[in-house]
Amino acid sequence: MSPDPDHAPAPHPSEPHAQGLSAKLNWLRAGVLGANDGIVSTAGLVVGVAAASTARGPILTAGIAGLAAGAVSMALGEYVSVSTQRDSERALLAKERRELAELPDDELAELASLYEAKGLSPATARTVAEELTAHDAFAAHADAELGIDPDELTNPWQAAISSAISFTLGALLPLIAILVPPASYRVPVTFVAVLVALALTGSVSARLGGSPRGKAVLRVVFGGALAMIVTYGIGQIVDSVNI
């Protein structure tokens, strides 16, 4: 029995078909990387101070200052970056609207050529372009020509808040790890906690990006360990010369 064209089967519920999936994965990946930055930068800072002083006060002060400065810096950087991206997207969309209003035939031919370049025959590409244009010409061109969803433009405030939160959450781990144990165990406990956390963030980041986990984990763990070793050495030097 042939399928009823008016009752086509729905996409498999377990398969991601939403257009915003890629954007959501990018946001999630950015959050993981923000947390990773918070872990590494704050860990390096507090380990360096702990190498020069056993008092909790200076360590806590440095850790909180580093957390606040890093979160604000991340938020500001994301806000500026994403605002610039959104302005560019809006400019491209406005240009496309003008072209559709002024040169509809040329735009139709351009859309057909885009689908022809993807492998459709000229006749099929023309038919697809005409049907999409009749349905929503602007959305069709935004998708095929610009790769932009007009209804899902990047949000700079969302990016800024997400970055600040992810950085703060990442920074809290080394800050807590350095303050809770007795003075003689602070640095070793922080090293272990930070390296375990970095291994987890590296694994999640690799999973989201579809890359090999081993290399991703090794990179972030090595980088975090190197940062803490360097700052610990600097703290030792500062303490030895009584600066």
Side-chain angles (χ1 to χ4, degrees), residues 58-205:
I59 299 173
L60 178 61
T61 301
I64 292 176
L67 184 156
V72 171
S73 177
M74 288 285 290
L76 181 60
E78 281 296 310
Y79 180 83
V80 171
S81 174
V82 174
S83 293
T84 301
Q85 179 183 345
R86 187 178 63 170
D87 290 344
S88 299
E89 290 174 342
R90 285 177 170 173
L92 289 170
L93 291 172
K95 179 175 179 289
E96 197 61 39
R97 284 188 186 276
R98 289 195 304 270
E99 292 176 346
L100 284 168
E102 297 170 1
L103 303 166
D105 293 337
D106 290 347
E107 288 298 295
L108 176 61
E110 181 182 28
L111 186 60
S113 68
L114 289 172
Y115 285 108
E116 187 177 344
K118 292 182 179 181
L120 297 181
S121 67
T124 302
R126 181 76 182 189
T127 299
V128 170
E130 288 175 347
E131 292 184 2
L132 290 175
T133 298
H135 175 69
D136 190 337
F138 177 65
H141 279 268
D143 176 51
E145 188 175 342
L146 304 176
I148 298 174
D149 185 344
D151 297 324
E152 293 188 8
L153 295 182
T154 51
N155 186 322
W157 284 109
Q158 181 184 13
I161 293 172
S162 298
S163 295
I165 291 174
S166 63
F167 184 94
T168 300
L169 292 176
L172 284 174
L173 185 140
L175 186 56
I176 293 172
I178 200 79
L179 293 174
V180 172
S184 59
Y185 293 99
R186 284 175 186 166
V187 173
V189 168
T190 302
F191 259 83
V192 173
V194 166
L195 295 183
V196 169
L198 289 177
L200 291 174
T201 60
S203 178
V204 173
S205 179

Side-chain angles (χ1 to χ4, degrees), residues 27-67:
W27 283 118
L28 185 55
R29 190 179 300 116
V32 172
L33 294 177
N36 184 81
D37 288 342
I39 293 170
V40 174
S41 61
T42 306
L45 183 61
V46 296
V47 164
V49 177
S53 172
T54 58
R56 278 191 169 89
I59 299 173
L60 178 61
T61 301
I64 292 176
L67 184 156

Side-chain angles (χ1 to χ4, degrees), residues 201-227:
T201 60
S203 178
V204 173
S205 179
R207 181 180 177 84
L208 293 173
S211 58
R213 290 190 185 185
K215 291 182 179 180
V217 169
L218 184 61
R219 282 195 297 265
V220 295
V221 169
F222 177 79
L226 180 61

